[in-house]
Amino acid sequence: MAAVKRKKPVAANETTLRHLWLAGLGLAVIARREALAGAGRAAGRVEALQQRVRDLASDARSNVRGGIENVRDQVEPKVIKFSADVEARLAPVLDKLGLKSGKPRSQRKSRKPAAKKPVSRRTARKPAARRSRKA
């Protein structure tokens, strides 16, 4: 018996325009889906980055405020001591001048601005009457 050769279906091996069209549609769908997913991932990363920046700014603000309070706590007693030393040294001079230095001066209270005075408008002068000249 002779070996019979079977023919493979021709349609399965050929690429047709329909196959190209379907592949193109599939590619477009996949590209659109990936673009939307990529945009969503990018938006999520942006939001995470914004939150991280806010956290870093808050930490920096807290560090600066803590440092300022620390410096203020160190400097304030020295300023008070310096002020007391100056007042103690000036006390004899103020006594000689007749100014009392015994009691500390109260802190100045803020003053209210003075009430505005009504602006008096001066009336315009009328020009003097002209004398007629005789010719």
Side-chain angles (χ1 to χ4, degrees):
M1 280 213 241
V4 179
K5 289 186 178 181
R6 292 189 181 177
K7 287 186 178 180
K8 294 182 181 178
V10 178
N13 290 333
E14 286 185 25
T15 304
T16 63
L17 287 176
R18 183 172 187 267
H19 291 139
L20 290 175
W21 172 251
L22 292 174
L25 284 177
L27 182 63
V29 168
I30 291 171
R32 181 177 182 270
R33 181 175 46 205
E34 289 300 316
L36 291 175
R41 286 189 302 265
R45 287 180 184 165
V46 167
E47 289 175 7
L49 184 61
Q50 286 176 340
Q51 185 61 39
R52 186 174 175 199
V53 167
R54 283 188 208 108
D55 292 342
L56 289 173
S58 176
D59 290 346
R61 186 181 316 125
S62 298
N63 289 340
V64 168
R65 284 184 178 170
I68 289 173
E69 288 177 7
N70 188 19
V71 169
R72 183 175 55 197
D73 291 343
Q74 291 176 359
V75 171
E76 196 170 17
K78 292 180 183 180
V79 169
I80 292 172
K81 183 179 182 268
F82 177 75
S83 175
D85 290 346
V86 168
E87 287 180 9
R89 289 183 183 174
L90 287 178
V93 174
L94 294 176
D95 287 340
K96 285 182 182 179
L97 294 173
L99 301 173
K100 292 186 178 183
S101 64
K103 60 180 179 179
R105 297 169 61 182
S106 63
Q107 289 186 357
R108 185 179 232 182
K109 295 180 182 177
S110 61
R111 291 190 275 172
K112 294 181 182 177
K116 291 185 178 180
K117 295 179 183 178
V119 178
S120 61
R121 295 189 179 214
R122 295 168 61 184
T123 57
R125 289 181 152 186
K126 294 182 180 178
R130 292 188 180 184
R131 294 183 188 176
S132 59
R133 289 183 158 182
K134 292 183 183 178

